[in-house]
Amino acid sequence: MAVERDVFDISGPTYLKSVDCFHNLLTWGINFFSLSIVQRNCEHNRRSVAASLVQAVYVLERDQQLNRQSVEALAPPWWEFFHFELIRKLIDDADMSIFGAIFEFNPPSSEEASAVNAPRFVIAFRGTITERDTISRDLSLDLQLVQNGLHRTSRFTIAMQAVQNVASVFPGSTIWLAGHSLGAGMAILTGRNMVKKGLLLESFLFNPPFVAAPIERIRDERVKHGFRIARSVITAGLTIAMKGKTEGNSQRSVAEESFSILSSWTPYLYINPGDHICSEYIGYFQHRKNMEDLGAGFIEKLATQNSIGDLFFKALGWESEPLHLLPSADLIVNVSPSPDFKYAHGISQWWQPELNLQHSKYRY
């Protein structure tokens, strides 16, 4: 029996009109108030489409596990509603699960003129599925992510090759990356690597994992602020100490240069404060601003580029690439009430109408 979450007509954003999802803003009047409303609607539609395509990957894998084929398959409406075509499934070589997909936008000729803001391709990655066929592999990847080692996995290699292939075969095409939870981590990693190759991909990251203690969950603001200052001072101190030990070695300067290069990439981070897996992003960016206001920008600059876990792994001689250390981002926080953690961490919240969202722009 089909689970309601997999059925687009029950759980999907059927209230959207596909032509409206990428409507050309230039077709609207120049009235500022009207334009701001259109822009908000456009942001909502783009977010909803990206989240729906991530959900499509989840449903593709569940279709495979439950042997739902042909007319019984539930995944196709999640992309067909928005005039996308599935051109490739990304298959994990360890468990043969579908962890990602490449979608191409192919609107009817009557809608092409109104869809100038649409991507040519969307490459989407799902998160962890706790079913028998996938739980072992997915949890091992979750552990790799916590250990800053996702870049060493074969799943990342497959994802990176897929993104590079699309970018090289279709140069100049608009490409989106989208991912949820573990999949958001995969999208961050591929996006970061594409930046280093000189290509900035628009990226929609839903509930991306932040590998650190969830200080944001502390309710007392003074205690929370104190913990953040202490962590920044410790991180900066360890960074300086390790830099002294590796004097003459370019490792640190390369890391700093890499962080600076990444600052030109501005992914969209979709965060729910009720989700301890991603909520620390709120404090990560806000604390950076607070430290600058306190005149401690130098300390926070070092702390922003490093993490205690990353420094620990590197002290042991392990190759480490912490995904959560981002120079710039557009942070979108869903402050609408969440009934429980499952909903707060779920993908379905991001295509719901009338969300109460707080937007903040952070530039390094």
Side-chain angles (χ1 to χ4, degrees):
M1 180 178 291
V3 179
E4 287 188 358
R5 66 182 176 184
D6 290 350
V7 181
F8 182 82
D9 287 341
I10 297 176
S11 301
T14 54
Y15 58 89
L16 293 177
K17 295 181 180 179
S18 57
V19 67
D20 290 339
C21 295
F22 307 110
H23 205 290
N24 182 1
L25 294 179
L26 297 178
T27 63
W28 291 74
I30 60 174
N31 178 274
F32 178 79
F33 179 73
S34 298
L35 183 59
S36 65
I37 293 176
V38 174
Q39 288 174 328
R40 285 199 301 272
N41 289 340
C42 182
E43 291 171 2
H44 169 73
N45 294 343
R46 284 154 46 91
R47 181 186 71 247
S48 298
V49 171
S52 294
L53 293 179
V54 173
Q55 174 69 354
V57 182
Y58 277 108
V59 183
L60 272 170
E61 172 54 25
R62 285 195 282 265
D63 279 349
Q64 177 173 269
Q65 292 186 14
L66 298 174
N67 198 29
R68 297 188 302 224
Q69 302 180 22
S70 186
V71 295
E72 295 182 348
L74 298 179
W78 289 95
W79 62 80
E80 291 175 349
F81 181 83
F82 305 107
H83 299 306
F84 280 89
E85 294 180 0
L86 173 65
I87 62 173
R88 181 186 168 190
K89 302 172 185 176
L90 302 182
I91 309 297
D92 190 293
D93 62 349
D95 65 357
M96 304 308 293
S97 67
I98 301 168
F99 73 89
I102 303 174
F103 302 98
E104 183 176 9
F105 187 52
N106 188 22
S109 57
S110 60
E111 295 186 9
E112 287 181 356
S114 298
V116 295
N117 296 313
R120 171 79 182 276
F121 297 99
V122 178
I123 305 172
F125 306 101
R126 66 165 175 84
T128 302
I129 294 181
T130 56
E131 301 294 341
R132 182 182 62 184
D133 294 342
T134 48
I135 188 170
S136 177
R137 174 62 167 166
D138 284 359
L139 289 182
S140 70
L141 290 166
D142 289 333
L143 181 60
Q144 289 285 348
L145 188 150
V146 171
Q147 296 176 339
N148 298 333
L150 195 60
H151 62 289
R152 294 191 296 266
T153 66
S154 61
R155 181 177 290 190
F156 164 68
T157 300
I158 295 168
M160 192 66 213
Q161 289 174 346
V163 174
Q164 285 182 296
N165 288 343
V166 173
S168 61
V169 174
F170 302 95
S173 295
T174 301
I175 302 171
W176 286 5
L177 297 177
H180 172 248
S181 193
L182 172 62
M186 193 67 68
I188 290 175
L189 191 54
T190 54
R192 287 165 61 108
N193 277 270
M194 293 305 291
V195 173
K196 296 173 185 177
K197 297 178 182 296
L199 188 60
L200 304 180
L201 301 183
E202 198 160 3
S203 302
F204 298 78
L205 310 174
F206 302 100
N207 303 83
F210 193 101
V211 184
I215 298 176
E216 187 62 28
R217 303 287 289 172
I218 299 174
R219 295 187 178 183
D220 190 304
E221 289 297 325
R222 290 178 298 178
V223 174
K224 184 191 300 185
H225 189 50
F227 268 116
R228 293 198 194 286
I229 291 176
R231 185 168 68 183
S232 294
V233 171
I234 293 171
T235 303
L238 290 173
T239 301
I240 294 171
M242 288 189 65
K243 195 171 184 179
K245 286 186 176 183
T246 57
E247 192 171 355
N249 189 323
S250 62
Q251 180 182 4
R252 287 290 125 186
S253 61
V254 170
E256 292 168 5
E257 182 182 353
S258 176
F259 199 79
S260 179
I261 292 172
L262 287 175
S263 65
S264 59
W265 180 50
T266 310
Y268 300 101
L269 305 185
Y270 296 96
I271 308 298
N272 190 310
D275 175 12
H276 63 266
I277 292 176
C278 69
S279 62
E280 190 57 25
Y281 273 108
I282 301 171
Y284 171 75
F285 284 106
Q286 184 60 49
H287 179 63
R288 193 166 75 187
K289 181 178 182 302
N290 292 341
M291 291 291 278
E292 291 173 356
D293 293 342
L294 290 173
F298 173 73
I299 292 176
E300 191 55 28
K301 183 177 181 180
L302 292 175
T304 297
Q305 297 177 14
N306 300 275
S307 71
I308 295 175
D310 178 43
L311 294 171
F312 174 75
F313 290 132
K314 286 180 176 176
L316 294 176
W318 298 356
E319 183 186 358
S320 175
E321 185 169 354
L323 304 183
H324 61 281
L325 302 182
L326 296 172
S328 306
D330 281 4
L331 197 69
I332 301 96
V333 180
N334 181 13
V335 295
S336 305
S338 297
D340 50 36
F341 168 76
K342 185 177 180 180
Y343 179 86
H345 186 65
I347 185 68
S348 65
Q349 65 184 297
W350 298 112
W351 62 70
Q352 301 303 320
E354 307 300 331
L355 287 179
N356 185 6
L357 302 177
Q358 294 179 350
H359 298 247
S360 301
K361 296 180 182 293
Y362 295 97
R363 304 294 182 264
Y364 183 70

